[in-house]
Amino acid sequence: MFTKISIRWLRRALKMVAVLLTVGLLLGIFMGGAQPMAVGLVPAPWDKLVHAAVFAVLAGAIGFASGLYGWRMLLLSFWGAVLVGALDEWHQMYLPGRSAGLDDLASDAAGAALGAAALLQRERFQKWFFSHH
């Protein structure tokens, strides 16, 4: 069914996708967020949902790209995404028309927690799957 070579190749390919996704999200957050069109792009309260979704994906991508497992991966994914959120809020203090907010950072952290939780579930599923096949 699955050979060691195909599993190894799939893991490498997925890790590369996660690295590219992480870089793409960072570019979008910092470069895209600095564009004038980003001001008021998503109206409140929907902007908090967008923050949470983006940072959930970012946390998942960071954790998957890291190649770590267990609590190390979960800590890196969560705190890495929260750090990006904090840096983004700090960055926004210096952008015309933008403002930093603890409410945005809280949404980022909630999303990061969801992303880390999804990684935990993925890890549990992976252990179950490979133990039964």
Side-chain angles (χ1 to χ4, degrees):
M1 184 157 154
F2 291 107
T3 66
K4 285 185 180 188
I5 293 171
S6 66
I7 292 171
R8 195 174 315 133
W9 181 88
L10 180 61
R11 283 185 178 158
R12 248 188 237 142
L14 290 174
K15 186 175 178 179
M16 184 53 65
V17 168
V19 168
L20 293 172
L21 181 58
T22 301
V23 171
L25 286 169
L26 291 173
L27 288 172
I29 289 167
F30 289 103
M31 293 179 71
Q35 302 306 310
M37 56 74 89
V39 177
L41 183 64
V42 181
W46 303 108
D47 62 325
K48 304 305 178 248
L49 185 61
V50 171
H51 273 266
V54 167
F55 280 83
V57 173
L58 179 62
I62 289 171
F64 202 88
S66 74
L68 298 172
Y69 294 95
W71 65 269
R72 287 179 178 92
M73 177 186 61
L74 297 176
L75 286 176
L76 177 65
S77 67
F78 175 77
W79 287 112
V82 170
L83 176 62
V84 170
L87 290 172
D88 181 42
E89 294 306 313
W90 177 73
H91 180 231
Q92 287 181 28
M93 289 191 309
Y94 302 100
L95 296 174
R98 305 295 302 268
S99 60
L102 287 177
D103 53 343
D104 286 345
L105 185 57
S107 296
D108 299 344
L114 288 172
L119 284 172
L120 180 62
Q121 291 301 76
R122 179 199 64 92
E123 200 168 68
R124 287 179 179 165
F125 173 77
Q126 191 173 358
K127 284 179 185 175
W128 173 84
F129 182 80
F130 287 114
S131 70
H132 288 83
H133 290 92

